[in-house]
Amino acid sequence: MEDPDDLYMEDIPGVKEALQNNDTAAAAAKIQENLKQQHNIPLNIAITGESGAGKSTFVNAFRGLCDDEEGAAPTGVTETTSEATPYPHPNYPNVMLWDLPGIGTTKFPAKKYLKLVGFEKFDFFIIISATRFMENDVKLAQEIQKMKKKFYFVHSKVDNDIQAERRKRDFSAERTLKVIRDDCVQRLGGLGFESPQVFLVSSFELHLYDFNLLHQTLDRDLPSKKRDALLFVMPNINPEIIRKKKEAFKRRLYWLATLSAAGAAVPVPGLSIAVDVAVLVGAVTDYVFAFGLDIPSLKRLSDRTGVPYADLCAVIFSPLAAAEITTELLLKVMTQVGRTATLMAAEEASRFIPFIGIPVAMVLSFITTYKVLNAILSELAEDAEKVFEKALGQ
């Protein structure tokens, strides 16, 4: 039997009934409320571990920020986090990464740690170690397990380990990673933790090693309603992430187009176009943010990779990327998508035809909105892949 949670965007309660009863206002209100809820689903991620493990750097990398950037979590060679500190994602403030103090410090002893940091508000914990996982890490994991929360072991700074081994004549990156992983697993097992899974990560090169595997694991373990919230804030570490974002947005197209159609049911000149543009501005802004194609995200990517901002913009085709999404810009783009201008004109005219005008206008509005959004979404996803390739010098 299908999990009801999996239908949360495919079947919004009450919409079909409202449309069948010709109550388009009620249908539109339900769709808008649902879309608003999806955009504001909270996701609280706890980043914890021993002092100096690289927690703050991981928080910054996850958010797409450099360590010295405004709004970044402070980093240093000593413990810089003295209390649980929330860091919202720059484009999706509903997703919060919490930089927690190191476990085992005088102020945060292991036995009282979870209570002191307020464990109940977190969706899951990422336990980070830069060298070997310690007894405190295992104690923390066991306590989290008792509280029926999810946790994940991350070995950070694996790039440093690789670099240290690279000087050896018989160096093999694959063998080195296996040795590191096996050592982490054996140590955790020796400390009393059964069947641990350890993710090897470099905060400076998230596209390498196990960060993608970590995302796949989180995606599998999270409740379905929180998966998109995590997906949209994920850095574009590979083309597959970009394609997943595109598919997630595509699942919402039907309801966005239905909302547009509901606006067409009211015989007020220009109202449908106004509703369409309002829907489109919000949706397209979401696309641009999730794909990392807004100006601040592109500049941060340039800073992190050393690829000039102008070079990243040079591979972008869509006029909606690296630009402020305004009504004027969107209307201009809309008229360039296939026969959209013709459909919009036909919709406006048909709404005033007695008896059949409103149903025809609703169909035309649905088709227009779906077609425009689908075309924009595909174009922006392609741009995101090209930027990713350019940033990595591929």
Side-chain angles (χ1 to χ4, degrees), residues 62-130:
F62 205 109
R63 298 162 65 226
L65 301 181
C66 298
D67 285 343
D68 58 354
E69 192 172 341
E70 184 179 351
T75 60
V77 294
T78 58
E79 177 63 32
T80 56
T81 307
S82 59
E83 59 184 16
T85 308
Y87 291 96
H89 188 274
N91 289 339
Y92 292 92
N94 57 304
V95 177
M96 197 78 70
L97 280 87
W98 292 76
D99 190 3
L100 303 188
I103 184 172
T105 58
T106 305
K107 189 176 178 181
F108 290 88
K111 287 185 178 180
K112 298 181 179 179
Y113 186 82
L114 283 177
K115 184 177 180 181
L116 289 171
V117 299
F119 78 93
E120 62 282 335
K121 64 175 164 283
F122 303 118
D123 290 285
F124 59 86
F125 291 75
I126 292 178
I127 304 172
I128 292 183
S129 174

Side-chain angles (χ1 to χ4, degrees), residues 98-221:
W98 292 76
D99 190 3
L100 303 188
I103 184 172
T105 58
T106 305
K107 189 176 178 181
F108 290 88
K111 287 185 178 180
K112 298 181 179 179
Y113 186 82
L114 283 177
K115 184 177 180 181
L116 289 171
V117 299
F119 78 93
E120 62 282 335
K121 64 175 164 283
F122 303 118
D123 290 285
F124 59 86
F125 291 75
I126 292 178
I127 304 172
I128 292 183
S129 174
T131 52
R132 291 183 170 185
F133 289 96
M134 303 297 182
E135 187 176 355
N136 279 338
D137 296 319
V138 172
K139 286 180 180 177
L140 175 59
Q142 290 169 338
E143 289 302 310
I144 295 170
Q145 201 167 41
K146 287 178 185 176
M147 304 296 183
K148 301 189 184 303
K149 295 272 188 174
K150 292 285 186 179
F151 60 90
Y152 307 89
F153 290 112
V154 167
H155 177 83
S156 64
K157 304 182 183 179
V158 70
D159 48 332
N160 291 349
D161 298 324
I162 291 287
Q163 194 60 38
E165 291 292 313
R166 197 178 293 277
R167 291 190 292 269
K168 296 181 179 179
R169 284 184 298 176
D170 62 343
F171 168 75
S172 164
E174 186 176 341
R175 185 170 64 248
T176 300
L177 290 172
K178 185 178 187 306
V179 168
I180 295 170
R181 186 179 285 106
D182 290 348
D183 180 65
C184 289
V185 170
Q186 287 172 12
R187 181 166 180 80
L188 287 167
L191 291 170
F193 205 88
E194 296 182 6
S195 306
Q197 184 176 14
V198 178
F199 300 92
L200 309 183
V201 170
S202 164
S203 294
F204 298 109
E205 297 179 295
L206 291 180
H207 61 286
L208 300 178
Y209 315 116
D210 292 344
F211 189 73
N212 186 52
L213 180 60
L214 175 61
H215 170 251
Q216 291 174 3
T217 306
L218 295 173
D219 183 68
R220 184 182 65 239
D221 291 350

Side-chain angles (χ1 to χ4, degrees), residues 321-337:
E324 182 183 353
I325 310 301
T326 63
T327 300
E328 293 73 24
L329 176 60
L330 201 47
L331 284 171
K332 182 180 177 181
V333 172
M334 285 172 66
T335 59
Q336 297 170 349
V337 177

